[in-house]
Short mmCIF file of all heavy atoms in Angstrom, two decimals:
data_model
loop_
_atom_site.label_atom_id
_atom_site.label_comp_id
_atom_site.label_asym_id
_atom_site.label_seq_id
_atom_site.Cartn_x
_atom_site.Cartn_y
_atom_site.Cartn_z
N LYS A 455 -30.20 6.33 -2.23
CA LYS A 455 -31.62 6.31 -1.95
C LYS A 455 -32.21 7.71 -2.18
O LYS A 455 -33.28 7.86 -2.76
CB LYS A 455 -31.84 5.86 -0.50
CG LYS A 455 -33.25 5.45 -0.27
CD LYS A 455 -33.43 4.61 0.98
CE LYS A 455 -34.93 4.45 1.17
NZ LYS A 455 -35.32 4.37 2.53
N ALA A 456 -31.47 8.71 -1.74
CA ALA A 456 -31.94 10.09 -1.92
C ALA A 456 -32.03 10.45 -3.41
O ALA A 456 -32.79 11.33 -3.78
CB ALA A 456 -31.01 11.05 -1.21
N TRP A 457 -31.24 9.76 -4.26
CA TRP A 457 -31.34 10.01 -5.70
C TRP A 457 -32.43 9.14 -6.33
O TRP A 457 -32.57 9.11 -7.55
CB TRP A 457 -30.00 9.72 -6.40
CG TRP A 457 -28.94 10.71 -6.05
CD1 TRP A 457 -29.13 12.02 -5.69
CD2 TRP A 457 -27.54 10.49 -6.04
NE1 TRP A 457 -27.91 12.61 -5.45
CE2 TRP A 457 -26.93 11.70 -5.65
CE3 TRP A 457 -26.72 9.40 -6.32
CZ2 TRP A 457 -25.55 11.83 -5.53
CZ3 TRP A 457 -25.36 9.52 -6.20
CH2 TRP A 457 -24.78 10.73 -5.81
N GLY A 458 -33.17 8.43 -5.51
CA GLY A 458 -34.32 7.68 -6.00
C GLY A 458 -33.98 6.48 -6.85
O GLY A 458 -34.81 6.01 -7.63
N MET A 459 -32.76 5.95 -6.74
CA MET A 459 -32.37 4.88 -7.65
C MET A 459 -32.98 3.53 -7.28
O MET A 459 -33.25 3.24 -6.14
CB MET A 459 -30.85 4.79 -7.74
CG MET A 459 -30.35 5.79 -8.76
SD MET A 459 -28.60 6.08 -8.86
CE MET A 459 -27.90 4.48 -8.72
N GLU A 460 -33.19 2.72 -8.33
CA GLU A 460 -33.85 1.43 -8.16
C GLU A 460 -32.92 0.43 -7.48
O GLU A 460 -33.34 -0.33 -6.62
CB GLU A 460 -34.23 0.92 -9.56
CG GLU A 460 -35.34 -0.08 -9.57
CD GLU A 460 -35.69 -0.50 -11.00
OE1 GLU A 460 -35.25 0.17 -11.96
OE2 GLU A 460 -36.38 -1.49 -11.14
N PHE A 461 -31.64 0.44 -7.86
CA PHE A 461 -30.68 -0.45 -7.22
C PHE A 461 -29.72 0.39 -6.40
O PHE A 461 -29.05 1.26 -6.94
CB PHE A 461 -29.91 -1.28 -8.24
CG PHE A 461 -30.80 -2.22 -8.94
CD1 PHE A 461 -31.32 -1.90 -10.17
CD2 PHE A 461 -31.18 -3.41 -8.33
CE1 PHE A 461 -32.19 -2.76 -10.81
CE2 PHE A 461 -32.05 -4.28 -8.96
CZ PHE A 461 -32.56 -3.95 -10.21
N ILE A 462 -29.70 0.12 -5.14
CA ILE A 462 -28.93 0.97 -4.23
C ILE A 462 -27.73 0.19 -3.72
O ILE A 462 -27.89 -0.82 -3.06
CB ILE A 462 -29.82 1.41 -3.06
CG1 ILE A 462 -31.00 2.22 -3.60
CG2 ILE A 462 -29.02 2.21 -2.05
CD1 ILE A 462 -32.01 2.58 -2.56
N PRO A 463 -26.55 0.63 -4.05
CA PRO A 463 -25.39 -0.09 -3.54
C PRO A 463 -25.21 0.18 -2.06
O PRO A 463 -25.42 1.30 -1.59
CB PRO A 463 -24.23 0.50 -4.35
CG PRO A 463 -24.70 1.83 -4.78
CD PRO A 463 -26.19 1.80 -4.84
N GLY A 464 -24.85 -0.82 -1.32
CA GLY A 464 -24.59 -0.63 0.10
C GLY A 464 -23.30 -1.35 0.42
O GLY A 464 -22.28 -0.74 0.69
N TYR A 465 -23.34 -2.65 0.28
CA TYR A 465 -22.17 -3.48 0.52
C TYR A 465 -21.39 -3.68 -0.77
O TYR A 465 -21.94 -3.57 -1.86
CB TYR A 465 -22.61 -4.86 1.02
CG TYR A 465 -23.26 -4.81 2.37
CD1 TYR A 465 -24.65 -4.70 2.49
CD2 TYR A 465 -22.49 -4.86 3.51
CE1 TYR A 465 -25.24 -4.65 3.72
CE2 TYR A 465 -23.09 -4.81 4.76
CZ TYR A 465 -24.47 -4.70 4.86
OH TYR A 465 -25.05 -4.66 6.08
N GLU A 466 -20.12 -3.99 -0.63
CA GLU A 466 -19.35 -4.51 -1.75
C GLU A 466 -18.79 -5.84 -1.29
O GLU A 466 -18.38 -5.99 -0.14
CB GLU A 466 -18.22 -3.55 -2.13
CG GLU A 466 -17.50 -3.90 -3.41
CD GLU A 466 -18.40 -3.87 -4.64
OE1 GLU A 466 -19.31 -3.02 -4.70
OE2 GLU A 466 -18.20 -4.70 -5.55
N GLN A 467 -18.80 -6.81 -2.19
CA GLN A 467 -18.31 -8.13 -1.81
C GLN A 467 -17.03 -8.46 -2.55
O GLN A 467 -16.81 -7.97 -3.65
CB GLN A 467 -19.35 -9.19 -2.17
CG GLN A 467 -20.71 -8.90 -1.60
CD GLN A 467 -21.69 -9.97 -1.98
OE1 GLN A 467 -21.93 -10.89 -1.23
NE2 GLN A 467 -22.25 -9.85 -3.17
N ALA A 468 -16.22 -9.30 -1.95
CA ALA A 468 -15.06 -9.83 -2.66
C ALA A 468 -14.86 -11.26 -2.20
O ALA A 468 -15.20 -11.63 -1.08
CB ALA A 468 -13.81 -9.01 -2.37
N MET A 469 -14.31 -12.06 -3.11
CA MET A 469 -13.95 -13.43 -2.76
C MET A 469 -12.44 -13.56 -2.88
O MET A 469 -11.85 -13.10 -3.86
CB MET A 469 -14.64 -14.40 -3.72
CG MET A 469 -14.59 -15.82 -3.23
SD MET A 469 -13.27 -16.73 -3.95
CE MET A 469 -14.27 -17.87 -4.91
#
Side-chain angles (χ1 to χ4, degrees):
K455 196 162 172 212
W457 291 332
M459 276 170 42
E460 202 178 346
F461 294 97
I462 299 174
Y465 294 93
E466 188 63 35
Q467 307 180 96
M469 194 263 247

